[in-house]
């Protein structure tokens, strides 16, 4: 039993995807190795996608063995995958405790975008969201978040150019691990993805939006709006009912003042629910005169849900009406529209 604990304990095993450069340097020192070995190991992990020390062929056999004894990865295994006609690949990854999440790789010429999950399930209960229905299983660790990025990177054997935190779960309900993951992805010693190419999407948790505004990096913020009429939003997004639109508006103003950056508002059009004249007018009022970009998204149908997508004409109408009040809006291209998505939101998000 004691021995089993020793092997399983994350405290004794170093996760190469989670550890800091400093921790790796300390380990090298402990093993009597020169400091540049840390950089070599990071190069294997982040540039070559190799996490198994046994395969790090420019290290001595003795160091490989010593590392193998010390290293334990967060360890995701691929449980299923779906490949879209447009080249997107969606994966279901499982962790050792049985929790499973989806992530997606979306290639385009010279680019590879990855969409990651931050929690297995979600506690927010949005009425139109497949993930929200099942409730929260657990939050992911930072290591488990970029494990997803590395999985996609390795599968495409290509550099990842952007990551969106728009998979399962609410990133700001798992703030610290999300931020750790963002920093690691941004770290030049790890994947080195520019902060502006790292986007976090929140359903609107105000305290965390304000906290995020004070982080030094220029990460991109997306906020799921879906309606700017409180009554409608309460029905669609019951988990954020306590963060009213009035307060959200003020918090976003503060975010913009503080950062000078443009938040993206996500708005999935649901026929007859949030695509009415009253809703368009209200959205225009919410956005007018503010720094923002609106993403109009077609709802992905979730089986058994009463909500149906709106029409492409409505989407066009939203864009035109917003343009009239000086607000930039785009209709998101659907990626992987042919892959059956249990987690419908994964499909349409690449900027
Ligand atoms: N929890 C975060 C991030 C994950 S969800 C959030 O809600 O922002 C990513 C995006 O997918 C959100 O904008 C969410 O509202 C949207 N989404 C969820 N279900 C959807 C569906 N069935 N169709 C279209 N978008 C959906
Ligand atoms: Fe959670 Fe986002 Fe789905 Fe809402 S839309 S239930 S916040 S994952």
């Amino acid at each position: 039993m004691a021995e089993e604990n020793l092997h399983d304990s994350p405290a004794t095993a170093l996760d190469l995807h989670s550890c800091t450069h400093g921790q790796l340097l300390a380990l090298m020192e402990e093993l009597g190795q020169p400091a540049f070995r840390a950089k070599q190991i990071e190069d294997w992990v982040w540039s070559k996608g190799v996490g198994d020390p046994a395969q790090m062929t420019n290290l001595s056999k003795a160091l490989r063995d010593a590392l193998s004894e010390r290293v334990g990865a967060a360890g995701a295994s691929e449980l299923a995958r779906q490949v879209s006609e447009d080249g997107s690949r969606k994966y279901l990854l499982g962790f050792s405790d049985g929790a499973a999440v989806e992530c997606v790789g979306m290639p385009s010429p010279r680019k590879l975008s990855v969409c990651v999950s931050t929690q297995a399930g979600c506690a927010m209960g949005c009425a139109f969201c497949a993930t929200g229905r099942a409730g929260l299983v657990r939050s992911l660790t930072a290591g488990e978040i970029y494990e997803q990025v590395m999985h996609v990177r390795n599968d495409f054997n290509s550099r990842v150019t952007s990551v969106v935190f728009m998979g399962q779960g609410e990133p700001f309900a798992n703030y610290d691990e999300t931020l750790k993951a963002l920093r690691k992805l941004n770290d030049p010693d790890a994947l080195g993805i520019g902060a502006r190419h790292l986007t976090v999407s929140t359903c609107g948790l105000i305290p965390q939006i304000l906290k995020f505004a004070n982080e030094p990096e220029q990460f991109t913020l997306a906020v799921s709006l879906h309606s700017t009429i409180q009554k409608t939003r309460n029905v669609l997004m019951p988990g954020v009912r306590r963060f009213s639109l009035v307060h959200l508006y003020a918090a976003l103003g503060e975010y913009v003042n503080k950062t000078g950056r443009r938040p993206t508002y996500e708005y999935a059009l649901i026929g007859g629910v949030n695509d009415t004249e009253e809703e368009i007018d209200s959205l225009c009022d919410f956005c007018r005169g503010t720094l923002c970009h609106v993403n109009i998204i077609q709802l992905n149908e979730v089986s058994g849900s009463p909500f149906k997508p709106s029409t492409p004409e409505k989407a066009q109408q939203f864009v035109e009406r917003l343009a009239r009040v000086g607000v930039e809006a785009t209709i998101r291209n659907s990626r992987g529209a042919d892959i059956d998505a249990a987690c419908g939101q994964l499909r349409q998000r690449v900027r």
Side-chain angles (χ1 to χ4, degrees), residues 2-302:
E3 198 180 280
E4 224 173 84
N5 279 343
L6 197 70
H7 284 297
D8 289 347
S9 163
T12 57
L14 191 71
D15 173 5
L16 285 180
H17 282 149
S18 310
C19 69
T20 61
H21 186 66
Q23 282 172 316
L24 208 51
L25 279 177
L27 179 64
M28 290 306 109
E29 198 179 331
E30 191 191 319
L31 297 174
Q33 295 287 331
F36 72 85
R37 296 277 180 229
K39 192 75 204 125
Q40 282 181 314
I41 295 167
E42 280 163 346
D43 191 48
W44 278 108
V45 172
W46 297 106
S47 304
K48 302 193 179 83
V50 170
D52 176 6
Q55 294 176 37
M56 300 180 181
T57 48
N58 59 355
L59 307 182
S60 69
K61 174 83 170 66
L63 177 55
R64 277 183 271 158
D65 290 347
L67 273 179
S68 296
E69 272 177 28
R70 298 295 291 270
V71 163
S77 52
E78 187 176 308
L79 304 176
R81 71 159 64 199
Q82 284 171 324
V83 178
S84 159
E85 275 170 12
D86 68 13
S88 304
R89 300 177 197 166
K90 187 175 73 153
Y91 313 82
L92 181 66
L93 301 184
F95 299 107
S96 52
D97 68 343
V101 297
E102 290 177 3
C103 60
V104 183
M106 292 157 286
S108 51
R110 288 185 304 284
K111 285 189 182 159
L112 177 60
S113 288
V114 177
C115 176
V116 293
S117 297
T118 53
Q119 299 183 305
C122 184
M124 306 311 299
C126 299
F128 49 84
C129 173
T131 307
R133 278 199 190 170
L136 178 67
V137 178
R138 71 167 170 87
S139 286
L140 302 187
T141 63
E144 288 169 336
I145 297 171
Y146 37 78
E147 190 84 358
Q148 299 167 58
V149 180
M150 293 311 286
H151 189 88
V152 177
R153 179 222 169 275
N154 293 345
D155 194 51
F156 279 88
N157 193 21
S158 162
R159 201 169 74 83
V160 174
T161 51
S162 64
V163 179
V164 292
F165 286 52
M166 293 186 182
Q168 288 156 318
E170 168 50 41
F172 282 176
N174 185 19
Y175 189 91
D176 292 347
E177 295 300 306
T178 292
L179 210 75
K180 257 195 246 170
L182 284 166
R183 295 209 161 121
K184 193 72 171 182
L185 295 170
N186 182 226
D187 183 352
D189 286 327
L191 281 184
I193 302 170
R196 286 162 188 266
H197 301 289
L198 297 171
T199 302
V200 179
S201 173
T202 178
C203 59
L205 303 187
I206 291 175
Q208 289 87 339
I209 291 176
L210 297 176
K211 203 166 165 196
F212 199 60
N214 284 305
E215 305 295 354
E217 297 89 351
Q218 305 213 310
F219 301 127
T220 300
L221 177 69
V223 177
S224 300
L225 268 187
H226 304 314
S227 173
T228 51
I229 295 180
Q230 194 65 56
K231 197 161 44 72
T232 316
R233 198 165 190 264
N234 287 350
V235 172
L236 295 178
M237 305 177 73
V240 283
R241 203 178 289 177
R242 68 186 185 284
F243 299 117
S244 72
L245 283 160
V246 176
H247 288 126
L248 183 61
Y249 182 86
L252 288 164
E254 210 175 314
Y255 172 87
V256 170
N257 282 341
K258 193 103 209 178
T259 64
R261 295 199 300 275
R262 184 186 295 269
T264 297
Y265 299 152
E266 293 161 273
Y267 200 107
L269 287 184
I270 309 176
V273 176
N274 63 1
D275 65 347
T276 61
E277 271 304 303
E278 198 194 356
E279 293 276 351
I280 301 188
D281 284 344
S282 168
L283 180 62
C284 288
D285 287 345
F286 192 91
C287 298
R288 192 195 316 258
T290 71
L291 193 63
C292 68
H293 180 97
V294 179
N295 256 348
I296 301 293
I297 300 152
Q298 282 297 1
L299 183 80
N300 295 320
E301 270 196 82
V302 172

